[in-house]
Amino acid sequence: MAEKNIVETSEAQIAVHWGEEEFYHPTPEFVGQANLTDNAIFERFSLDNFPECFNEYAELLSWDKYWDQTLDTSDAPCFKWFVGGRLNASYNCIDRHLEKNKNKTAIHFVPELEEERIDHITYQELYVRVNEMAALLRDFAGLKTGDRVTIHMPMSAELPITMLACARLGVIHSVVFGGFSASACADRIVDSQSRVLLTMDAYYRSGKLLNHKAAADEACALARKEGQTVDKVLVWQRYPGKMSSETPLVEGRDFVVNDKLKEFYGARVEPVSMKAEDPLFLMYTSGTTGKPKGCQHGTGGYLAYVTAMSKYVQDIHPEDVYWCMADIGWITGHSFIVYGPLSLCASTVIYEGVPTYPDAGRSWRIAQALDVNIFHTAPTAIRALRKIGPEEPHKYQFKFKHMTTVGEPIEPEVWKWYFNVVGKGQAAIVDTWWQTETGGFLCSTLPGIKPMKPGSAGPAVPGIHPIIYDEEGNEIKRGEGRAGNICIQNPWPGQFQTVWGDRERFVKTYFARYNTKPDSKDWRDWPYLTGDAAMEAEDGYFRILGRIDDVINVSGHRLGTKEIESAALVVDEVAEAAVVPVAHEIKGKEPDLYIALKPGFEASNDLAQKISDAVCTEIGKIAKPRRVWIVPDMPKTRSGKIMRRVLGAISNKGDVGNVMTLANPDVVDAIKDLVESD
Ligand code: PRX
């Protein structure tokens, strides 16, 4: 067995534990219209029918060539799905809908400023714009199948247009969350070896027009230092025909997409017929070590899986108006704003700004205006909306049939507000547990079949077979009342294919822990380690308790503690940095940053601010520490390891336990005094 878990504090250890709740049942009205109401799906997707059961999902797509083999395990644990099959993701999300639905809205783009009109893009219009953009990327930017492109764009209709144009050509897109810093963007440019960067001049956030183009210049400069030259920066304009950023264009490198596109008006690009296992995109995510991992998702498996999840768990029908409030820069947006809903010919809503701008009623006004009937968001947003406008939803005429929560555990009290007030007691709720790596859901109730249980993600979705192991690799059975490391026993089509350029890291991080036969080609030998702690109740519902590794879940987004620590170490005065998760009313968790200075330096507010700023510059505002505590020394074991468990307990006002075995037990009281006196 691989090395034991040596992490000393984890989210799971400080997770909020709540009691078991009663079941809630979906309304007959919901069940009557649901895409899936037949329990037999669980039988069809039992392990006995693995892997062929997943053909049912692949059949939701349009294939250029049908596959010969459902699952190829010859390069385990890099599994290949639907081998021999050929298809194009852009074709599946656009072209195949034209015959019947070309005049249907594909994308509703909602600008943050309420005085600006909502833009409604039909499938025909999407087809035209994606084709023109694909022509530009191919003929002007020189991109070809297999190249990688970094896209650092805000929420806009142009973002999925760019992604789908890449997919049409078989160009692998790597979308970087718009709120990430230039430095984070540069890391991803370098790792994916992108020589083209797509950006936008500006976008609105909380009523301010932010200069986004500036980040592109900085990212290119940083990437260049690391040896990766970006030779073209393609800049979309927030207001076509006008530059909204003061940052000038760099001659010969930067081009305005909206201008260049004029040369391609009317162009059509034949979708490239891709192998099912060809990569569709990279999505970087935080891991235990400093460097984010490029999760590589394939074309056929990923698209089949997200289409099925959108149909059966999100219950999307072509006539639905579906609004997922996540950002496309995260996996949720890729799978459940872009690929899943468009593959099913739904109308998907893209909102530029913050849900509470300019007031707590904004989200509900959007829902009312567009007659949204499926709503999808994270507990963080639900907590915020509940806090600032608990009665707001009553004031607007909208009716959701279905609502999703994703990204972090949701407290039963918050769940009940979501159900009663936002869902008006009529919407079915699905709590979806999954990860960047998994492409789509792992656990969730099937809304037309299984009742909901507040605070529990639910049973595994069809075809996913979780198993909970203890530290020694023994199985923890359902109903035992103990938590352990939740793994998935079998591969599934949405599972990422590898870590971009680092197969060894892929195997080590996700499989080594419980794999006993490293040369095995049998999928049964490769349980996938999710990195979460979980508990399975007697009824087969899973409760996710949090990460077992050094990853903090802030507002439903993953941040590596090592990432934040290395950002702090950029500041000259800093000798050591340690990050621990601390519970937060709205965000779920926040990073608390402990710092020990090099000899000769004094703690000060200015220095604390400088360290906090460094974290924002290196990663982005999302990683901003709650507090920077400059301490006399870190609590350490005799072998010199920082005891994050002790710091975590202090930050969360918990019990620090026995600290007498530490090399420097006295420092614990000093740190406690500092934090408690605040
Ligand atoms: O710890 C779990 C938590 O978020 C992690 C995955 O984060 P990320 O890759 O950024 O993907 C977020 C969107 C899927 C998981 O390892 N998590 C995700 N969904 C839930 C959750 N924790 C509890 N309940 C959930 N529904």
Side-chain angles (χ1 to χ4, degrees):
M1 213 184 74
E3 64 173 355
K4 265 183 97 154
N5 186 8
I6 48 151
V7 176
E8 287 152 337
T9 188
S10 70
E11 290 217 322
Q13 284 168 294
I14 60 158
V16 186
H17 296 269
W18 45 73
E20 286 285 303
E21 294 279 327
E22 297 293 315
F23 283 122
Y24 284 60
H25 291 268
T27 62
E29 191 190 349
F30 177 83
V31 176
Q33 62 79 62
N35 278 327
L36 189 64
T37 50
D38 183 1
N39 228 350
I41 188 156
F42 287 104
E43 187 52 41
R44 291 203 301 284
F45 279 79
S46 69
L47 274 180
D48 292 342
N49 296 327
F50 181 87
E52 276 71 26
C53 52
F54 283 111
N55 291 344
E56 189 176 324
Y57 289 177
E59 275 154 14
L60 296 171
L61 304 180
S62 303
W63 293 79
D64 302 334
K65 180 176 172 293
Y66 207 77
W67 56 98
D68 314 307
Q69 193 184 3
T70 303
L71 174 65
D72 173 1
T73 63
S74 61
D75 188 26
C78 296
F79 300 109
K80 293 191 192 78
W81 285 89
F82 312 121
V83 177
R86 287 192 169 265
L87 78 168
N88 182 280
S90 158
Y91 178 89
N92 272 277
C93 291
I94 310 170
D95 307 40
R96 67 167 174 158
H97 306 315
L98 298 180
E99 192 183 327
K100 290 203 181 112
N101 283 307
K102 60 172 165 290
N103 290 325
K104 181 179 191 293
T105 301
I107 295 172
H108 297 283
F109 172 68
V110 184
E112 195 189 64
L113 297 187
E114 266 181 304
E115 64 262 31
E116 287 185 13
R117 302 300 299 179
I118 296 176
D119 196 8
H120 309 278
I121 299 171
T122 62
Y123 273 94
Q124 178 67 22
E125 176 69 7
L126 184 62
Y127 171 76
V128 168
R129 293 174 66 175
V130 166
N131 271 280
E132 291 168 352
M133 187 59 185
L136 183 153
L137 293 176
R138 185 188 61 190
D139 300 339
F140 175 66
L143 291 167
K144 49 185 195 320
T145 305
D147 287 350
R148 279 82 54 209
V149 157
T150 298
I151 305 179
H152 190 208
M153 284 173 66
M155 287 290 278
S156 54
E158 289 77 4
L159 175 50
I161 287 170
T162 307
M163 292 160 69
L164 291 164
C166 289
R168 203 165 186 86
L169 300 170
V171 168
I172 304 167
H173 58 71
S174 164
V175 178
V176 180
F177 169 54
F180 268 150
S181 68
S183 164
C185 180
D187 291 345
R188 287 152 176 81
I189 290 173
V190 172
D191 192 75
S192 63
Q193 300 136 308
S194 301
R195 55 167 200 81
V196 175
L197 172 66
L198 270 298
T199 187
M200 191 172 251
D201 55 358
Y203 65 102
Y204 278 99
R205 191 104 201 130
S206 297
K208 281 203 230 73
L209 189 62
L210 305 182
N211 177 355
H212 189 61
K213 162 68 168 63
D217 291 1
E218 217 185 312
C220 291
L222 290 167
R224 189 179 207 125
K225 273 196 212 149
E226 299 289 318
Q228 181 64 36
T229 304
V230 173
D231 52 41
K232 278 200 174 58
V233 176
L234 304 177
V235 189
W236 286 97
Q237 290 171 325
R238 170 66 175 77
Y239 294 100
K242 166 178 153 201
M243 272 318 266
S244 301
S245 141
E246 289 147 21
T247 310
L249 297 178
V250 174
E251 181 75 33
R253 187 198 70 180
D254 299 357
F255 300 89
V256 172
V257 178
N258 306 72
D259 289 342
K260 272 281 154 205
L261 269 177
K262 291 178 186 156
E263 295 166 26
F264 298 95
Y265 280 174
R268 295 290 180 268
V269 172
E270 209 33 48
V272 176
S273 193
M274 303 296 292
K275 284 195 213 143
E277 69 271 23
D278 282 337
L280 177 62
F281 66 85
L282 306 180
M283 167 63 58
Y284 284 81
T285 191
S286 299
T288 321
T289 59
K291 206 173 115 201
K293 299 172 283 216
C295 296
Q296 175 185 316
H297 281 283
T299 307
Y302 170 82
L303 197 62
Y305 199 68
V306 298
T307 304
M309 292 299 106
S310 298
K311 181 161 183 167
Y312 301 130
V313 180
Q314 303 297 140
D315 200 52
I316 297 179
H317 301 59
E319 56 273 24
D320 289 325
V321 182
Y322 168 87
W323 181 17
C324 170
M325 225 161 59
D327 194 289
I328 295 174
W330 306 105
I331 192 70
T332 305
H334 274 51
S335 299
F336 299 112
I337 299 179
V338 180
Y339 286 110
L342 294 179
S343 167
L344 291 174
C345 195
S347 301
T348 188
V349 178
I350 296 180
Y351 174 48
E352 178 180 32
V354 289
T356 49
Y357 180 85
D359 57 59
R362 182 62 191 279
S363 301
W364 319 126
R365 284 198 293 283
I366 294 172
Q368 174 178 275
L370 293 172
D371 202 14
V372 171
N373 66 340
I374 307 183
F375 185 65
H376 187 152
T377 192
T380 298
I382 304 171
R383 288 184 210 110
L385 290 163
R386 173 177 181 250
K387 184 163 186 209
I388 68 166
E391 301 302 327
E392 280 306 295
H394 295 307
K395 300 184 190 158
Y396 299 95
Q397 302 296 317
F398 64 90
K399 186 179 165 201
F400 296 148
K401 69 165 186 180
H402 181 291
M403 305 192 302
T404 300
T405 158
V406 59
E408 34 171 343
I410 182 164
E411 300 81 354
E413 275 320 297
V414 178
W415 190 99
K416 286 173 196 165
W417 179 80
Y418 196 35
F419 182 80
N420 290 317
V421 181
V422 181
K424 305 180 180 180
Q426 294 172 352
I429 296 185
V430 294
D431 180 342
T432 55
W433 168 65
W434 59 296
Q435 311 177 301
T436 304
E437 294 87 339
T438 72
F441 308 140
L442 297 175
C443 284
S444 167
T445 47
L446 287 179
I449 298 180
K450 300 272 188 190
M452 310 156 239
K453 185 158 57 164
S456 275
V461 296
I464 298 292
H465 300 277
I467 186 161
I468 301 181
Y469 288 123
D470 68 11
E471 294 297 314
E472 274 67 49
N474 305 309
E475 184 179 346
I476 299 178
K477 295 259 168 20
R478 71 166 54 165
E480 259 189 56
R482 281 199 301 143
N485 300 334
I486 185 166
C487 297
I488 311 299
Q489 298 177 58
N490 59 296
W492 67 99
Q495 185 177 30
F496 71 137
Q497 301 176 306
T498 187
V499 171
W500 176 256
D502 200 345
R503 188 184 195 277
E504 202 184 315
R505 190 172 178 199
F506 173 70
V507 176
K508 194 163 166 245
T509 312
Y510 299 98
F511 300 96
R513 183 83 183 264
Y514 293 114
N515 166 267
T516 48
K517 299 179 193 149
D519 296 323
S520 174
K521 305 292 172 216
D522 185 340
W523 58 265
R524 291 169 194 81
D525 290 320
W526 296 98
Y528 166 77
L529 179 76
T530 65
D532 281 328
M535 229 159 99
E536 185 180 6
E538 190 62 50
D539 54 25
Y541 278 50
F542 290 89
R543 194 117 58 92
I544 308 301
L545 303 175
R547 305 285 311 174
I548 56 170
D549 54 15
D550 286 350
V551 170
I552 302 185
N553 192 331
V554 179
S555 305
H557 300 133
R558 269 161 71 173
L559 295 171
T561 50
K562 292 282 189 306
E563 253 177 297
I564 303 177
E565 289 166 5
S566 38
L569 287 164
V570 166
V571 176
D572 262 355
E573 294 89 336
V574 174
E576 288 175 310
V579 166
V580 295
V582 54
H584 182 271
E585 190 191 356
I586 305 285
K587 299 181 188 174
K589 299 277 161 50
E590 269 189 319
D592 233 10
L593 177 55
Y594 287 85
I595 296 289
L597 298 177
K598 290 177 187 159
F601 292 107
E602 290 284 315
S604 70
N605 288 342
D606 284 351
L607 184 53
Q609 187 61 46
K610 187 167 145 193
I611 296 166
S612 176
D613 291 347
V615 172
C616 296
T617 312
E618 291 293 311
I619 305 172
K621 283 215 178 71
I622 186 162
K624 188 174 180 332
R626 176 186 79 128
R627 288 294 305 266
V628 176
W629 305 107
I630 302 180
V631 298
D633 194 7
M634 296 285 185
K636 286 191 182 143
T637 60
R638 288 179 203 277
S639 61
K641 260 165 65 91
I642 300 176
M643 289 290 280
R644 289 186 176 73
R645 178 180 58 75
V646 171
L647 298 172
I650 296 174
S651 280
N652 290 283
K653 304 195 168 51
D655 179 8
V656 294
N658 182 1
V659 294
M660 290 323 288
T661 55
L662 293 188
N664 52 354
D666 296 347
V667 81
V668 176
D669 281 336
I671 299 174
K672 250 172 131 177
D673 288 348
L674 178 76
V675 175
E676 279 167 13
S677 68
D678 188 61

